[in-house]
């Protein structure tokens, strides 16, 4: 990993010389696996690039060159029958290719978010946006609480001190919390704090009327609006690396520029590092600190 950092728009020479890449892809090769693996050529080979904290880097190239394969490999989401056969993917200095599925899930949950075109099918058409985003917030809250409990158990010293609270009061309190929790889940209701969080998220991804969006069903929204809802859900987990696969496909020039401007703003608001996957080199060059290109054969352009 001896590659020197490229200087992004916000970087100074002094900062660039001491920074380490958040993501470093080294000699990556992806091939088909299984019975016919020996008969097929690599889908991509010898792919090398780095992305530094706070950068927006665009990975471009013609259709079929392996851009999306690279993105899926970084997120540990390659299709069955396709696998990494050579090379390394370093995230925050650690090679993540050998990770088992549980560690991949944790990485995607906490650090790496991948937005793909097919993500729109992830929204439930018969549940409101409020209900689906609330589920996401609750899930993130449970995970954080579980992590805090594990940390607390590891740090706490053994103690024989018993609670001064009467046993019956403790049981009643737990029952009340359980009933309240069950009622919330059944009715899809949100707490005042969750409502504030939901509206804030939707405003940050460009919605001027978040209450209307929260009350809507996905089939009542356009494809672009559903994409922004999914973006809000992903950002709620606080990822460090955000990968957007063809975020401007099929958009006219005006809407394309709006999406790109939104990504620039989200980088500032959420302290994101962004990897853009696109065939539109010209469009990506407007927002990216660096634009990398792949050849039709699945290699990096010299």
């Amino acid at each position: 990993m001896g590659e020197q950092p490229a200087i992004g728009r916000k970087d100074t020479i002094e900062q660039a010389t001491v920074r380490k890449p958040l993501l470093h892809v080294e000699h990556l090769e992806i091939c088909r696996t299984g019975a016919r693996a020996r008969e097929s050529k690599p889908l991509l080979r010898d792919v090398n690039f780095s992305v530094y904290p706070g950068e927006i880097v665009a990975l471009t190239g013609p259709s079929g060159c392996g851009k999306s394969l690279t993105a899926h490999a970084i997120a540990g989401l390659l299709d069955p029958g396709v696998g990494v056969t050579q090379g390394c993917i370093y995230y925050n200095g650690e090679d993540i290719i050998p990770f088992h599925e549980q560690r991949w899930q944790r990485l995607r949950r906490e650090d790496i978010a991948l937005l793909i075109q097919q993500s729109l099918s992830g929204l439930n058409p018969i549940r409101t946006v409020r209900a689906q985003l609330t589920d996401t917030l609750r899930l993130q809250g449970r995970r954080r609480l579980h992590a805090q409990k594990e940390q607390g158990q590891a740090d706490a010293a053994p103690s024989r001190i018993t609670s001064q609270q009467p046993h019956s009061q403790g049981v009643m309190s737990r029952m009340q919390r359980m009933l309240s929790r069950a009622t919330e889940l059944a009715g899809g209701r949100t707490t005042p704090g969750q409502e504030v969080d939901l509206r804030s998220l939707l405003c940050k991804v460009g919605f001027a009327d978040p209450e209307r969006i929260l009350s809507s069903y996905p089939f009542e929204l356009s494809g672009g609006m559903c994409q922004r809802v999914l973006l809000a859900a992903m950002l709620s987990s606080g990822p460090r690396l955000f990968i957007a696969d063809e975020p401007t496909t099929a958009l006219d020039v005006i809407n394309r520029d709006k999406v790109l401007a939104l990504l620039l703003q989200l980088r500032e608001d959420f302290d994101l590092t962004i990897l853009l996957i696109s065939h539109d080199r010209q469009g990506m060059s407007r927002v990216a600190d660096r634009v990398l290109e792949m050849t039709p054969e699945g290699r990096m352009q010299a």
Side-chain angles (χ1 to χ4, degrees):
M1 295 175 53
E3 178 183 342
Q4 287 297 316
I7 302 173
R9 292 176 181 173
K10 301 194 302 177
D11 295 325
T12 64
I13 294 177
E14 292 80 6
Q15 290 172 330
T17 56
V18 298
R19 297 173 75 190
K20 295 181 179 179
L22 180 65
L23 173 71
H24 178 73
V25 178
E26 186 175 282
H27 303 302
L28 183 67
E29 179 184 273
I30 296 177
C31 298
R32 298 190 186 280
T33 58
R36 298 185 177 181
R38 295 182 179 179
E39 303 173 11
S40 61
K41 296 180 180 179
L43 300 173
L44 62 85
R45 65 185 76 188
D46 202 28
V47 171
N48 300 272
F49 66 91
S50 295
V51 182
Y52 293 84
E55 275 193 313
I56 297 180
V57 173
L59 185 61
T60 66
S63 297
C65 70
K67 305 184 302 294
S68 293
L69 271 178
T70 302
H72 283 70
I74 294 168
L77 290 172
L78 288 173
D79 291 335
V82 178
V84 174
T85 47
Q86 288 187 34
C88 302
I89 299 175
Y90 294 97
Y91 175 77
N92 205 25
E94 183 177 11
D95 186 5
I96 59 179
I97 290 178
F99 279 11
H100 51 72
E101 182 56 27
Q102 187 175 4
R103 290 198 70 187
W104 274 115
Q105 290 177 4
R106 181 175 179 180
L107 191 67
R108 290 191 294 266
R109 192 167 64 227
E110 299 177 357
D111 286 84
I112 298 177
L114 172 62
L115 181 66
I116 59 177
Q117 296 175 30
Q118 294 85 348
S119 292
L120 296 182
S121 61
L123 290 176
N124 189 329
I126 61 173
R127 300 188 71 214
T128 64
V129 170
R130 173 180 280 105
Q132 296 185 64
L133 288 182
T134 301
D135 285 348
T136 301
L137 287 181
R138 286 173 178 157
L139 183 60
Q140 295 300 332
R142 286 198 297 270
R143 284 165 177 161
R144 284 192 290 267
L145 181 61
H146 180 68
Q148 290 169 359
K149 284 182 177 178
E150 286 187 337
Q151 183 63 39
Q153 290 170 358
D155 294 341
S159 174
R160 296 180 180 271
I161 299 176
T162 58
S163 172
Q164 298 300 314
Q165 183 183 37
H167 178 69
S168 59
Q169 291 182 10
V171 172
M172 289 298 295
S173 178
R174 288 195 297 272
M175 289 179 64
Q176 289 171 352
R177 289 197 297 267
M178 290 171 63
L179 287 171
S180 176
R181 175 70 176 162
T183 303
E184 283 184 8
L185 289 175
R189 292 185 295 181
T190 57
T191 66
Q194 287 170 338
E195 281 290 319
V196 171
D197 290 341
L198 292 179
R199 289 192 178 94
S200 176
L201 276 170
L202 291 179
C203 286
K204 285 185 180 296
V205 297
F207 288 114
D209 186 2
E211 179 55 39
R212 182 178 72 84
I213 302 302
L214 287 170
S215 302
S216 299
Y217 292 88
F219 64 82
E220 297 177 311
L221 306 176
S222 68
M225 295 167 82
C226 287
Q227 187 180 50
R228 280 185 280 161
V229 169
L230 281 165
L231 182 56
M234 291 179 176
L235 293 175
S236 69
S237 66
R240 296 181 63 192
L241 175 63
F242 179 72
I243 306 172
D245 191 359
E246 298 288 1
T248 59
T249 295
L251 296 179
D252 57 40
V253 174
I254 294 176
N255 284 312
R256 181 196 66 184
D257 289 347
K258 287 182 178 179
V259 169
L260 295 178
L262 174 61
L263 290 173
L264 279 172
Q265 186 61 50
L266 291 175
R267 171 171 68 171
E268 301 299 324
D269 291 344
F270 291 89
D271 194 23
L272 290 174
T273 300
I274 301 176
L275 177 62
L276 298 175
I277 309 295
S278 178
H279 64 277
D280 181 14
R281 181 184 178 93
Q282 182 178 3
M284 296 301 106
S285 65
R286 298 183 181 183
V287 297
D289 298 309
R290 290 184 290 130
V291 179
L292 311 175
E293 189 164 2
M294 296 181 66
T295 69
E297 295 77 26
R299 296 178 180 271
M300 297 302 297
Q301 185 77 46

